């Protein structure tokens, strides 16, 4: 089967960097700060494949490089080294070799992102409908009637009352803001969706609804997703495969059931046992 | 030391004050290097329609924000064979126009001045495009306060430049979308964002919507100068200029209709096709009159001529 995304040896550092950075940081050194030059190694030679319609979980404690990973793939950051190939309808696109206009095109037409904080993903100065309109306008849909209809459909699918589409997102509750964000991410029917800690900070009943919504979208639209979370419940419910990160390194990757029931790496064992 | 130097300064001052010693300005006030730089920027602006070319806006004897951008362009392209017209809000007689005209008359001896648009080779204007259509060879110089239409949605100039480069104007459309949602109408009355030659979106200076379609495929050359923001851009002759709008909502200009949907005429010349100013007379009656004074006078003279011919 053709993967939709192939990530190879992707690394990201914050700081000057030195030749010893990668050999003196990571899980076995229990640090992501290089002792020689003080550089933060946020992500170290991460490789994985993602298949169409699959949900891949990325698990790990805070500071392990989970968010850096999705931010690099969504072009919010430029990784230091590595390669990521996105298969756009059987046409390979080498993400980090594209020019900024091509990157923006992919981001607007093919990717969707839901951030932990709605303030990062939504423009709070324009209405909920306007936020969805922005995505549609970015992908060159310039018909007002079409935009209104599409925004209404998306908001009802994500269970935001369409009557409230012309209100500012600041009038909404946290869960509703998150649903507007998901509607916005889905506006252009992207084949690939990034979810960065989408349920963190929401109360349990709202969390359950959002997770239901994500599963429903995945089943209906066959969207491939990368779900970043430190919540084992979310991993268990949503994902089919899981990648465990610690100090910027991938320490374990496998089927979610296997990772949770029979963790191989000491860190994963600790993570799973502390949650259960 | 200080005391002894004072009388010398005084002596120098009185020497330069006397009429025979008054230094004469270089033709066009600006030095030739400044003119050369502005002309080079203008060539670049014409070559890349709608692109904002940065230039080192010089100090002028009027404050920035009072038309220094337009003035510098006019002074750089003006020659003794040119015929110049200066208008402000359509009028030849308002303060800004009169002062700039006087300044140019003083610093550019030999340049002919006119108030009649079809006679002019260069028209410097603020807030209006004249009613008479420009002809091939005529140059319209517009004074611009804010050159960048993206400034309302993006504060960082570095990011704006990238957005212009990539033709990324979705956020301007979001503004139009929000207007439609709130008011069922796009509420931008002037400085309407206009896409030039299918790529760059410009701020066409504070001309009313009424004037925006005049930019499209016009035979005249339009030069825009923002003195305070140090930018020059251009709409060359026969270039596409499309105001941003949705596919299903056509761009609308001011219609000047009364309550019955009838187009108000100019109370002076009777024109029903010009841009009208609304004002109150001494009795408190609302009057509508052409904003372009030259056009209004010409129409009035034609009308009187016709009446005269009919009477005789």
């Amino acid at each position: 089967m053709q993967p939709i995304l192939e990530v190879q040896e992707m690394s990201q550092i914050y700081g000057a960097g030195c030749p010893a950075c990668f050999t003196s940081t990571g899980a076995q050194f229990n640090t992501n700060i290089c002792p020689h030059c003080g550089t933060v190694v946020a992500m170290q030679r991460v490789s994985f494949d993602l298949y169409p319609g699959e949900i891949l979980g990325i698990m790990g404690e805070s500071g392990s490089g989970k968010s850096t990973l999705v931010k690099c793939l969504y072009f919010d950051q430029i990784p230091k080294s590595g390669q990521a190939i996105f298969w756009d309808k059987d046409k390979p696109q080498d993400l980090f070799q594209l020019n900024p206009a091509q990157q923006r095109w992919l981001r607007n037409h093919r990717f969707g992102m839901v951030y932990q904080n709605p303030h990062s993903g939504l423009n709070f100065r324009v209405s909920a409908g306007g936020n969805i309109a922005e995505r549609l306008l970015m992908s060159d849909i310039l018909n007002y009637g079409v935009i209104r209809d599409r925004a209404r459909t998306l908001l009802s699918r994500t269970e935001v009352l369409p009557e409230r589409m012309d209100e500012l997102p600041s009038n909404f509750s946290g869960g509703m803001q998150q649903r507007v964000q998901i509607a916005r991410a889905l506006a252009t029917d992207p084949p690939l969706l990034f979810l960065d800690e989408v349920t963190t900070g929401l109360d349990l009943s709202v969390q359950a609804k959002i997770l239901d919504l994500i599963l429903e979208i995945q089943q209906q639209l066959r969207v491939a997703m990368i779900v970043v979370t430190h919540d084992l419940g979310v991993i268990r419910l949503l994902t089919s495969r899981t990648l465990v990160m610690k100090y910027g390194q991938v320490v374990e990757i496998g089927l979610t059931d296997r990772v949770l029931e029979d963790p191989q790496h000491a860190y994963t064992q600790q993570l799973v046992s502390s949650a259960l | 030391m200080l005391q002894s130097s004072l009388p010398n300064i005084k002596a120098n001052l009185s020497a330069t004050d006397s009429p025979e010693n008054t230094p004469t300005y270089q033709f066009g006030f600006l030095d030739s290097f400044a003119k050369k730089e502005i002309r080079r920027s203008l060539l670049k602006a014409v070559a890349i329609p709608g692109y904002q070319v940065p230039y080192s806006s010089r100090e002028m004897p009027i404050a920035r924000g009072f038309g220094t951008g337009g003035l510098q362009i006019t002074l750089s392209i003006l020659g003794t064979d040119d015929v110049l017209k200066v208008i402000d809000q359509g009028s030849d007689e308002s303060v800004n126009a009169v002062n700039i005209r006087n300044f140019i008359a003083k610093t550019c001896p030999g340049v002919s001045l006119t108030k009649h648009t079809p006679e002019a080779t260069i028209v410097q204007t603020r807030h209006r495009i004249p009613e008479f259509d420009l002809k091939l060879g005529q140059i319209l110089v517009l004074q611009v306060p804010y050159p960048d239409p993206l400034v309302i949605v993006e504060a960082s100039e570095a990011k704006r430049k990238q957005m212009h480069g990539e033709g990324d104007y979705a956020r301007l459309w979001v503004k139009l979308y929000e207007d439609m949602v709130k008011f069922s109408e796009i509420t931008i009355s002037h400085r309407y964002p206009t896409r030039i030659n299918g790529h760059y979106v410009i701020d066409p200076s504070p001309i009313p919507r009424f004037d925006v379609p005049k930019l499209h495929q016009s035979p005249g050359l339009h030069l825009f100068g923002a003195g305070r923001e140090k930018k020059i851009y251009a709409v060359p002759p026969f270039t596409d200029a499309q105001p941003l709008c949705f596919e299903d909502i056509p761009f609308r200009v001011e219609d000047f209709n009364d309550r019955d949907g009838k187009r108000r005429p100019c109370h002076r010349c009777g024109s029903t096709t010009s841009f009208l100013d609304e004002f109150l007379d001494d009795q408190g009656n609302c009057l509508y009159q052409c904003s372009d004074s030259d056009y209004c006078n010409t129409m009035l003279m034609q009308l009187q001529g016709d009446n005269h011919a009919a009477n005789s």
Side-chain angles (χ1 to χ4, degrees), chain A residues 150-204:
Chain A
R150 185 105 182 94
R152 207 170 284 125
T153 320
L154 283 161
L155 286 173
S156 25
R157 143 163 264 144
T158 53
E159 292 173 32
V160 179
L161 288 176
E163 298 87 72
R164 298 193 68 182
M165 73 185 280
D166 296 334
E167 281 186 44
L168 292 179
S170 46
N171 294 356
F172 294 169
S173 68
M176 263 173 93
Q177 288 172 354
Q178 217 53 318
R179 275 179 288 199
V180 174
Q181 252 207 105
I182 295 172
R184 179 185 150 102
L186 290 174
T188 51
D189 284 330
L192 180 55
L193 205 57
F194 303 111
L195 306 167
D196 189 359
E197 308 261 14
V198 272
T199 55
T200 311
L202 301 175
D203 60 60
L204 284 176

Side-chain angles (χ1 to χ4, degrees), chain A residues 100-101 104 123 125-127 129-131 133-134 137-138 140 142-148 151 165-166 168, chain B residues 152-153 162-163 166-171 173-178 180-182 184 195 245-249:
Chain A
R104 199 172 56 81
N123 182 347
R125 292 199 196 127
V126 300
S127 62
N131 272 290
E134 186 174 349
L137 289 162
M138 279 173 176
D140 303 320
L142 297 175
N143 186 305
Y144 181 71
V146 170
I147 292 171
R148 290 292 283 178
M165 73 185 280
D166 296 334
L168 292 179
Chain B
I152 52 167
V153 292
Q162 191 174 1
M163 288 166 80
E166 294 176 9
D168 173 14
Y169 296 110
R171 281 152 78 189
W173 257 293
V174 173
K175 158 99 179 85
L176 305 186
Y177 169 90
E178 289 287 296
M180 287 302 301
V181 167
K182 278 189 210 148
S184 307
R195 194 158 216 176
C245 58
F246 292 105
E247 282 163 3
D248 48 345
I249 299 163

Side-chain angles (χ1 to χ4, degrees), chain A residues 49-102:
Chain A
D49 289 344
L50 181 73
Y51 292 88
E54 181 193 32
I55 304 188
L56 175 73
I58 298 181
M59 189 164 71
E61 61 192 9
S62 18
S64 60
K66 310 183 297 280
S67 294
T68 304
L69 177 66
V70 287
K71 279 181 183 152
C72 285
L73 293 173
Y74 194 60
F75 306 118
D76 279 346
Q77 291 182 10
I78 303 154
K80 193 74 185 168
S81 62
Q83 198 186 32
I85 303 208
F86 172 71
W87 290 83
D88 182 14
K89 291 175 187 148
D90 303 324
K91 209 173 115 236
Q93 304 267 21
D94 190 345
L95 294 187
F96 308 123
Q97 298 302 315
L98 301 175
N99 69 33
Q102 291 169 318

Side-chain angles (χ1 to χ4, degrees), chain B residues 23-43:
Chain B
T24 50
Y25 288 113
Q26 150 127 346
F27 180 85
F29 183 77
L30 293 166
D31 63 85
S32 39
F33 290 110
K35 285 192 200 167
K36 197 171 167 185
E37 191 224 346
I38 292 170
R39 286 185 203 136
R40 214 186 296 126
S41 306
L42 285 171
L43 286 176

Side-chain angles (χ1 to χ4, degrees), chain B residues 9 52 66 70 87-88 97 112 122 164 186 204 244 258 282 306:
Chain B
I9 291 173
Q52 298 169 49
F66 285 76
I87 47 173
D88 170 9
S112 344
I122 300 173
H164 277 298
I186 291 165
L244 293 194
D258 58 18
D282 295 343
D306 290 348

